[in-house]
């Protein structure tokens, strides 16, 4: 059972982290093209990514991680690396509806209205929050590999 949970855990976090990095790369590449319609469409698609991709990956990461701790005789929920893992999921759960969803909508609306400056401002904000989120996932991942404490 541990191997199944560990596999699910690793795949889920790989999807979550990989999706986050790939989303940033796609946004940067597409923004550089100046294609307003394509940028607007991408921003509209991104309004659904939280519920359809990121949240399921985070939930699978959480549930499999909880299962792994429950099955372990060596680790508890009080471990620093487990707490940082929980923190990553909480931050992602908050950033989704509080930052990513409204900023994605703002970017789409700005591009659709022909307001490139407003789209650029919202894009830089979402990029900053995405970087914070991605770095937190990376920190949690590194801590889970090294398991300090």
């Amino acid at each position: 059972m541990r191997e199944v949970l560990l596999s699910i855990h690793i795949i889920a976090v790989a999807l979550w982290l990989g999706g986050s990095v790939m989303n940033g790369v796609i946004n940067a590449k597409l923004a550089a093209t100046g294609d307003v319609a394509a940028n607007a469409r991408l921003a509209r698609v991104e309004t659904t990514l939280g519920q359809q991709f990121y949240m399921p990956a985070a939930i699978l990461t959480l549930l499999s991680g909880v299962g792994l701790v429950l099955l372990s005789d060596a680790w508890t929920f009080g471990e620093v690396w487990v707490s940082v893992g929980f923190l990553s999921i909480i931050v992602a759960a908050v950033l989704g509806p509080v930052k990513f969803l409204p900023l994605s909508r703002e970017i789409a609306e700005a591009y659709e209205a022909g307001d490139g400056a407003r789209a650029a401002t919202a894009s830089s904000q979402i990029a900053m929050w995405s970087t914070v989120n991605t770095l937190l996932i990376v920190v949690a991942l590194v801590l889970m590999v090294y398991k300090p404490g």
Side-chain angles (χ1 to χ4, degrees):
M1 181 63 160
R2 180 188 179 281
E3 289 77 18
V4 171
L5 285 175
L6 184 58
S7 296
I8 291 169
H9 194 67
I10 291 169
I11 291 166
V13 79
L15 288 169
W16 185 11
L17 177 60
S20 183
V21 171
M22 184 55 66
N23 195 343
V25 170
I26 289 170
N27 272 285
K29 295 287 187 186
L30 190 56
T33 70
D35 187 336
V36 174
N39 278 289
R41 281 192 303 276
L42 178 59
R44 286 283 172 214
V45 167
E46 288 176 339
T47 64
T48 64
L49 285 179
Q51 291 178 329
Q52 295 177 355
F53 181 78
Y54 292 110
M55 194 52 65
I59 289 170
L60 277 175
T61 302
L62 172 68
L63 294 177
S64 58
V66 167
L68 286 165
V69 173
L70 290 174
L71 289 175
S72 174
D73 293 329
W75 309 113
T76 69
F77 291 105
E79 306 293 334
V80 170
W81 55 274
V82 173
S83 297
V84 173
F86 282 128
L87 177 64
S88 297
I89 293 168
I90 291 166
V91 168
V94 171
L95 284 177
V98 171
K99 291 293 180 185
F100 296 136
L101 181 59
L103 285 169
S104 292
R105 285 182 179 147
E106 170 127 9
I107 293 165
E109 290 167 6
Y111 276 124
E112 291 163 355
D115 189 347
R118 190 171 113 214
T121 299
S123 292
S124 67
Q125 289 177 16
I126 207 169
M128 179 198 63
W129 287 111
S130 182
T131 300
V132 167
N133 189 48
T134 301
L135 287 175
L136 190 54
I137 296 167
V138 169
V139 168
L141 184 61
V142 169
L143 289 174
M144 288 184 190
V145 169
Y146 288 99
K147 295 176 180 53

